[in-house]
Amino acid sequence: MFDVPLTFFSLAAVALVIDMRGEGRRSQWVLVGLMLGLGMLTKGPTVLLHALPLALLAPLWKDALEQERRLSPTGDDGGGTANWWPWYRGVLLAFVTGVLVLATWLGPVLARGGPGFIDQLVWQQTIDRMATTTHHLRPFWFYAALLPALLFPWWVMPTLWQRATKPKIYGLGRRRQTLLRVLASWTVPAFVAFSLFRGKQLHYLFPLLPAWAVLVAALLKDVRAGEVKKTMVGAATVTIAVIAAAYAYIGWRMSDAYDVQ
């Protein structure tokens, strides 16, 4: 599925944005734009929903993250952001760069395809599919209801719940607040937007899975190796059991339809 390379490009853009110090360098923003452009070539403008909200919501998380870096023994001082115009100028540069990357392919294709192809590609395959599509129609709560399946098996692991509900005991208090600001700015706008679109498929949310991986990694940070191994083995055991049961049930229900005799 092209959601996998889309996940790579959106995650690359997000990582570049998080790594910026101060207002960021022009070369960094151009690189973000390159990732956005390659993401749009992969699956249209959806990459913008996965990557741009984090940059646009920087006032909610960036100063807190810069402060964490200054307090870190190995962190460098990026300084606070008093004037946000240079930052948003960089966001605009990234967006324009991404559009130019897309245009290198889209321009010649539209010139050769004619009006009918333009309508199919630009309208029906992008705007219309998000707003008035009849494909994969799902209610607005579809993604919320399937989050347990998407995030399985980590949410059934006791170690994660213990560390999530008692952050101060494990030294995660202030750092967790900063982390949650970053992850919320990254994932919540995209999750809400995709929930509002009429057409929904679970794999549309794949580019948000790295955010969950970051949260799990943060909660397991400094856990003893034996405890981590126990958690991993437990997760793997539960996963294998559930998948085996699911396949057995599907095989039983579909045995007549797929009888190869």
Side-chain angles (χ1 to χ4, degrees):
M1 296 295 291
F2 37 62
D3 299 272
V4 177
L6 175 67
T7 299
F8 173 83
F9 293 125
S10 63
L11 178 59
V14 165
L16 288 164
V17 169
I18 293 176
D19 193 51
M20 288 185 190
R21 305 301 199 267
E23 65 190 47
R25 298 189 304 273
R26 184 176 300 177
S27 58
Q28 290 177 300
W29 286 114
V30 170
L31 194 54
V32 171
L34 176 62
M35 296 300 105
L36 293 179
L38 293 174
M40 284 190 281
L41 287 173
T42 303
K43 199 183 178 183
T46 56
V47 68
L48 302 178
L49 288 175
H50 288 299
L52 279 188
L54 179 70
L56 295 174
L57 296 175
L60 299 181
W61 59 266
K62 193 170 189 305
D63 284 345
L65 185 61
E66 297 286 3
Q67 184 179 7
E68 288 292 328
R69 285 170 174 155
R70 291 196 296 273
L71 294 176
S72 173
T74 58
D76 52 356
D77 189 351
T81 307
N83 179 16
W84 286 102
W85 164 240
W87 174 268
Y88 287 112
R89 186 173 56 201
V91 176
L92 180 61
L93 174 61
F95 176 76
V96 172
T97 302
V99 171
L100 290 176
V101 172
L102 177 65
T104 60
W105 173 81
L106 187 61
V109 166
L110 294 182
R112 296 184 62 180
F117 185 75
I118 293 175
D119 176 70
Q120 284 282 338
L121 181 65
V122 177
W123 178 258
Q124 296 190 34
Q125 288 296 321
T126 54
I127 301 173
D128 188 54
R129 280 185 73 89
M130 293 186 291
T132 60
T133 182
T134 58
H135 301 284
H136 313 307
L137 293 179
R138 307 282 193 274
F140 73 92
W141 45 262
F142 175 77
Y143 289 130
L146 288 185
L147 269 183
L150 189 65
L151 304 182
F152 182 84
W154 295 108
W155 55 269
V156 300
M157 298 295 103
T159 301
L160 291 179
W161 282 108
Q162 291 169 4
R163 297 179 73 85
T165 55
K166 300 177 182 177
K168 292 184 178 179
I169 297 177
Y170 301 102
L172 298 171
R174 189 186 69 243
R175 286 181 296 156
R176 188 181 73 159
Q177 291 181 8
T178 302
L179 176 65
L180 290 179
R181 287 187 183 188
V182 174
L183 297 183
S185 300
W186 174 5
T187 60
V188 171
F191 186 85
V192 172
F194 278 93
S195 295
L196 293 176
F197 295 154
R198 287 166 55 87
K200 300 177 181 68
Q201 291 280 69
L202 190 59
H203 53 81
Y204 292 174
L205 297 187
F206 278 8
L208 300 181
L209 284 178
W212 174 252
V214 170
L215 181 59
V216 170
L219 293 175
L220 292 178
K221 187 176 183 294
D222 300 325
V223 177
R224 295 190 305 272
E227 189 176 351
V228 172
K229 182 178 179 180
K230 182 179 178 181
T231 301
M232 295 292 187
V233 171
T237 302
V238 172
T239 301
I240 292 172
V242 171
I243 291 177
Y247 270 98
Y249 176 76
I250 293 172
W252 171 63
R253 290 300 300 266
M254 295 188 174
S255 58
D256 292 336
Y258 290 94
D259 186 357
V260 295
Q261 277 189 326

